[in-house]
Amino acid sequence: MTLGLALAGADTTNYVDEIVQQSRLVSELGVRSVWFGQRMDYDSPTLAAIVGREVPELQVGTSAIPVLGRHPLLISSMAQTAQAATHGRYHLGVAVGSELVASAFGVPFDRPITRLREFLTVLRELLDTGTADYSGELFTATPPLPTVVAGAQPRVPVLVAAMGPQALRVSGELADGTLPYLAGPKTLSNHIVPEITRASETAPRIVAFVPAVVTADVEGTRAKAVQQLAFYEQVPSYRRVIELEGAQRAADLAIIGDEETVAAEIQRYYDAGATEVVLTTTDLAGPKDQLRTWKLLGELE
């Protein structure tokens, strides 16, 4: 199995210090990869680079940086720097974005698939050749100076948080895989895996992000999941995959139970075609059960 954790810190004096401390702990427990979402406070590639330097046993990844409001030249530079800093253990995840992201940047959320295609085309050219000469409808990239970061080897893998048919086809053509979230086993096997595989020349990575907690308080934790994950029910892409799974709420996709239950449910994702599984929202039931969840993950590796 290839398993990982999505880490996030609580209110703290120094966010970076807390994440490094968490990363050291999960590494000692046997976890081999950690991932960081891109929010509107910290910078995820920088955080991944720091963790990768501080805890060299870990693979590190970002899931996922919205392409909206960002240029592929800048993302290429950030990703290559993180790759050099971690000596080849960095995984770049990008996403189309949303109306919420668009409002933060003061730009319209329009033509998302065209934007994704052009962004990935430029990014792939930069990572494959070390330069770019591209003029599209939404992006232009003609760097007058070198864009290669020494030591950024092997080539940075690029994954896309794609779940809709069009985004999956673009990702299959131009990226190394996908990072679905709240897409259950049925949705993976019937929709996501077949769609991206048809568009890929090589076997794509399917890195499934799944909320999960090992706990004895199943009912209470489920109630917290209903509250914390309700936001995703308002986002069309997540609403679609929730419905495809036959679920009513995002919380229905959370794995909550004892070690045996959680391990069995994780296996269902592999059986559905996931190449990797990353557990998220492991803090739902508090610190003790979060540690219990992390210990199980280390044992399953």
Side-chain angles (χ1 to χ4, degrees):
M1 290 185 179
T2 304
L3 292 162
L5 277 173
L7 294 181
D11 293 335
T12 182
T13 304
N14 188 301
Y15 191 88
V16 175
D17 287 347
E18 180 182 350
I19 291 298
V20 169
Q21 184 178 8
Q22 285 187 17
S23 299
R24 287 195 176 115
L25 174 57
V26 300
S27 176
E28 290 170 1
L29 293 173
V31 175
R32 290 294 168 256
S33 72
V34 293
W35 295 76
F36 309 103
Q38 180 61 55
R39 307 191 315 200
M40 294 190 180
D41 44 11
Y42 66 77
D43 178 69
S44 56
T46 302
L47 189 59
I50 292 169
V51 168
R53 294 288 283 193
E54 294 284 336
V55 193
E57 297 81 14
L58 290 173
Q59 300 282 323
V60 292
T62 54
S63 178
I65 304 170
V67 302
L68 193 67
R70 294 170 172 87
H71 195 282
L73 273 169
L74 299 179
I75 297 301
S76 171
S77 297
M78 295 166 70
Q80 289 188 72
T81 303
Q83 183 73 320
T86 61
H87 293 272
R89 289 176 286 113
Y90 175 68
H91 306 254
L92 170 64
V94 299
V96 172
S98 64
E99 293 281 2
L100 181 65
V101 174
S103 67
F105 285 102
V107 297
F109 182 59
D110 59 355
R111 307 182 69 189
I113 300 303
T114 298
R115 185 178 303 277
L116 178 64
R117 178 176 289 280
E118 291 195 4
F119 187 97
L120 291 176
T121 298
V122 176
L123 182 62
R124 181 171 177 169
E125 187 174 352
L126 289 166
L127 295 176
D128 286 347
T129 72
T131 188
D133 185 7
Y134 182 85
S135 181
E137 298 178 60
L138 301 176
F139 289 104
T140 296
T142 55
L145 298 172
T147 65
V148 175
V149 176
Q153 297 295 331
R155 174 190 178 278
V156 178
V158 179
L159 304 122
V160 183
M163 296 188 292
Q166 293 184 75
L168 285 166
R169 287 194 289 270
V170 172
S171 302
E173 294 173 25
L174 299 171
D176 300 298
T178 184
L179 302 159
Y181 177 55
L182 295 177
K186 183 171 70 174
T187 304
L188 281 180
S189 62
N190 293 345
H191 299 277
I192 290 175
V193 174
E195 195 71 63
I196 193 171
T197 301
R198 279 194 295 268
S200 303
E201 293 184 356
T202 58
R205 289 173 60 185
I206 313 292
V207 186
F209 280 66
V210 185
V213 184
V214 177
T215 181
D217 183 15
V218 175
E219 185 175 339
T221 304
R222 183 74 63 186
K224 291 179 182 177
V226 168
Q227 294 180 338
Q228 189 161 326
L229 300 178
F231 163 79
Y232 295 100
E233 297 162 12
Q234 312 307 314
V235 180
S237 58
Y238 291 115
R239 181 73 248 169
R240 175 179 175 272
V241 294
I242 292 168
E243 292 174 352
L244 284 173
E245 196 66 21
Q248 297 297 315
R249 303 170 302 187
D252 296 337
L253 278 301
I255 302 173
I256 301 172
D258 60 16
E259 283 83 355
E260 184 177 342
T261 298
V262 172
E265 288 297 308
I266 289 173
Q267 184 60 50
R268 291 183 63 220
Y269 282 82
Y270 288 107
D271 294 342
T275 60
E276 299 149 70
V277 174
V278 178
L279 300 191
T280 73
T281 328
T282 59
D283 61 344
L284 272 175
K288 289 184 179 180
D289 284 339
Q290 182 174 51
L291 182 60
R292 188 176 169 187
T293 307
W294 291 355
K295 286 180 177 178
L296 172 66
L297 205 64
E299 292 168 359
L300 292 175
E301 269 287 6

